[in-house]
Amino acid sequence: MIGAIIGDIAGSKFEFCNYRSKKFKIFSQDSFITDDSVMTLAVAQAVYMCKGDYSFLSGFAKASMQMLGQMYPSSGYGTSFYNWIFSDYPLPYNSYGNGAAMRVSACGFYGKTLKEVKKMSKAVTEVSHNHPEGLKGAEATAVCIFLAKSGKSKKYIRNYVNKNYYKLDFTIDGIRPTYDFNETCQRTVPQAIEAFLESESFEDAIKTAVSVGGDSDTLAAITGSIAEAFYGVPADMRAKALEYLDEDLLQIYNNVEIILK
């Protein structure tokens, strides 16, 4: 979960002013958390509230995302999701936006089996992003996290993604010059996964993701969530990232981390 937050912070200042290089600092005084971090924590809170019984995860996810969304209304939500947050009767709206994937990391970390991870991903995603591509993007992200957490190799993860989700038939260097801003799962999640697969460390994964351009904070949040599961997160980076959370968000993070440990 902290990996997604660090990716969000690192990419925040580059979202609308892309920087296609890895020569930058992860944290800076003009970096900040966006809706990616808020919704990552909202889903994590929903999973935490289930206490291991995910029968009502969809309901908890809907309530948690609306509650935190309304607490942090200026975090950068898309128009449709913003309206969903403030709706008295929030219904799924056939979205395949990349928000489905950036918020799902708790499912990959909490799930005990691959089958359970997929079920959890669907539960937290379909409340808003119920388009097949939205569901696929979220599941692919959660599955990569679970496989990485379980000790699978990058080769294994690549093969699994190629077989079940996306054809990773490109390189980051190959797409960097022409990759443009895109908020869909199908044009964000594959690039985020590839950034992780080409990386040499957690920090390198984040920098590689940001360097692609496009929707930098969301792309790096997805990459960061997978990279955390594979590499772990350096203690100093974790501590620095937590400074960006206010008291309420930090409390959610701490609650979830205790259970994960």
Side-chain angles (χ1 to χ4, degrees), residues 3-144:
I5 294 171
I6 293 172
D8 178 37
I9 294 168
S12 60
K13 65 179 180 179
F14 300 122
E15 180 178 9
F16 300 111
C17 184
N18 290 162
Y19 184 73
R20 299 179 192 271
S21 169
K22 295 197 285 185
K23 296 180 180 179
F24 67 92
K25 293 182 179 180
I26 297 289
F27 304 104
S28 66
Q29 61 182 12
D30 52 347
S31 299
F32 50 93
I33 64 164
T34 77
D35 58 313
D36 296 23
S37 292
V38 175
M39 287 299 112
T40 291
L41 289 165
V43 170
Q45 177 174 252
V47 174
Y48 166 77
M49 291 169 64
C50 288
K51 305 298 183 183
D53 179 2
Y54 302 118
S55 304
F56 301 101
L57 180 55
S58 283
F60 281 129
K62 184 187 295 185
S64 184
M65 285 191 282
Q66 282 203 297
M67 182 188 75
L68 283 187
Q70 291 175 24
M71 286 176 62
Y72 300 91
S74 302
S75 297
Y77 311 102
T79 301
S80 295
F81 190 69
Y82 182 91
N83 291 336
W84 182 91
I85 288 171
F86 284 92
S87 172
D88 291 334
Y89 304 100
L91 297 173
Y93 51 96
N94 202 37
S95 175
Y96 48 84
N98 54 25
M102 58 75 164
R103 71 193 193 199
V104 79
S105 56
C107 298
F109 282 107
Y110 265 97
K112 299 297 189 296
T113 66
L114 193 59
K115 182 178 180 180
E116 184 173 64
V117 167
K118 292 178 179 180
K119 185 176 180 179
M120 292 169 67
S121 173
K122 183 175 186 291
V124 304
T125 303
E126 66 184 0
V127 295
S128 57
H129 292 55
N130 61 329
H131 188 282
E133 289 292 345
L135 294 166
K136 182 170 77 169
E139 182 177 294
T141 302
V143 164
C144 283

